[in-house]
């Protein structure tokens, strides 16, 4: 979406990993990766091993900003102080907010993301996560959008371990 105040392109996505350690490692990698000058990413790592009070604060925050049911369903509440600070202080024209999460995101959350990248896991898990993509928004020809990617292999297969979820 285009932010009304800054005119910057804003995207909210989720990368769902099956396990906590790879989730944390991927978050750290993304924080340090090189991007083109006109791009900036902001990462939030979300998993069940987080200190309970901090996880509660994360969930409360995500529940507030990732609901797109209100007046303008195409936007997240970009008036949120934290998001606003990131957007206004960013030098990039394209800003990507990424939640790197484990399956904890799939349970009882009413969040609406623009896109997802999913590590292969159970069919039910992938379907649950797909339900978080454009959850509160229906636009003409939405079915033509390709905004969910399921990785070909899970992280264990990439590391040469036994491949799971091959079908």
């Amino acid at each position: 979406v285009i932010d009304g105040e800054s005119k910057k392109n804003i995207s909210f996505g989720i990368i769902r990993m099956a396990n906590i350690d790879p989730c944390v490692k991927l978050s750290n990698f993304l924080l340090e990766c090189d991007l083109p000058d006109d791009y900036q990413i902001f990462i939030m790592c979300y998993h069940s091993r987080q200190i309970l009070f901090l996880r509660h604060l994360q969930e409360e925050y995500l529940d507030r900003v990732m609901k797109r049911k209100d007046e303008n369903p195409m936007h997240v509440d970009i008036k949120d102080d934290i998001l606003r600070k990131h957007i206004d202080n960013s030098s990039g024209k394209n800003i990507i907010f990424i939640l790197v999460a484990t399956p904890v995101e799939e349970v009882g959350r009413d969040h609406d993301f623009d896109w997802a990248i999913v590590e292969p896991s159970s069919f039910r898990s992938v379907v649950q996560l797909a339900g978080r993509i454009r959850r509160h928004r229906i636009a003409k020809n939405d079915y033509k959008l390709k905004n969910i990617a399921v990785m070909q292999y899970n992280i264990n297969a990439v590391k040469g371990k036994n491949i799971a979820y091959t079908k």
Side-chain angles (χ1 to χ4, degrees), residues 16-19 117-121 126 150-151 153-156:
R16 211 273 287 132
M17 302 298 291
N19 298 298
I117 299 172
V118 187
E119 181 180 20
S121 57
V126 173
V150 179
M151 294 185 278
Y153 302 107
N154 68 13
I155 197 72
N156 286 334

Side-chain angles (χ1 to χ4, degrees), residues 1-161:
V1 297
I2 298 174
D3 175 47
E5 288 184 38
S6 69
K7 304 302 182 211
K8 295 177 181 179
N9 299 313
I10 312 293
S11 176
F12 294 87
I14 180 169
I15 300 175
R16 211 273 287 132
M17 302 298 291
N19 298 298
I20 295 171
D21 289 341
C23 174
V24 172
K25 287 178 182 177
L26 178 60
S27 297
N28 289 328
F29 171 80
L30 291 170
L31 286 170
E32 296 181 13
C33 69
D34 290 327
L35 297 169
D37 290 339
D38 58 342
Y39 281 83
Q40 186 163 6
I41 59 174
F42 295 95
I43 307 296
M44 179 187 281
C45 187
Y46 176 48
H47 55 78
S48 61
R49 213 183 294 154
Q50 178 62 275
I51 296 169
L52 194 54
F53 179 68
L54 294 177
R55 182 171 152 202
H56 167 75
L57 292 175
Q58 271 186 304
E59 290 172 346
E60 191 175 73
Y61 182 75
L62 289 168
D63 288 348
R64 186 174 74 249
V65 299
M66 294 313 300
K67 244 183 205 172
R68 299 184 179 186
K69 289 182 180 177
D70 300 330
E71 313 94 41
N72 189 350
M74 291 306 289
H75 292 81
V76 187
D77 185 4
I78 300 184
K79 293 178 180 141
D80 174 77
D81 291 341
I82 295 170
L83 291 178
R84 193 77 258 151
K85 181 180 173 186
H86 289 314
I87 293 167
D88 294 339
N89 293 330
S90 172
S91 59
K93 172 140 177 60
N94 303 292
I95 302 171
I96 306 169
F97 293 93
I98 304 173
L99 181 68
V100 182
T102 61
V104 70
E105 170 60 27
E106 298 163 11
V107 181
R109 308 269 53 103
D110 189 20
H111 301 161
D112 181 340
F113 295 94
D114 297 320
W115 54 269
I117 299 172
V118 187
E119 181 180 20
S121 57
S122 73
F123 175 72
R124 287 187 172 109
S125 183
V126 173
V127 169
Q128 277 292 335
L129 186 69
R132 306 292 181 266
I133 309 307
R134 300 185 57 82
R135 183 180 185 91
H136 301 140
R137 299 170 283 162
I138 298 173
K140 192 175 187 179
N141 296 326
D142 250 3
Y143 62 89
K144 294 180 182 179
L145 295 175
K146 296 178 183 175
N147 55 356
I148 299 174
V150 179
M151 294 185 278
Q152 184 173 0
Y153 302 107
N154 68 13
I155 197 72
N156 286 334
V158 172
K159 291 179 177 180
K161 297 180 181 178

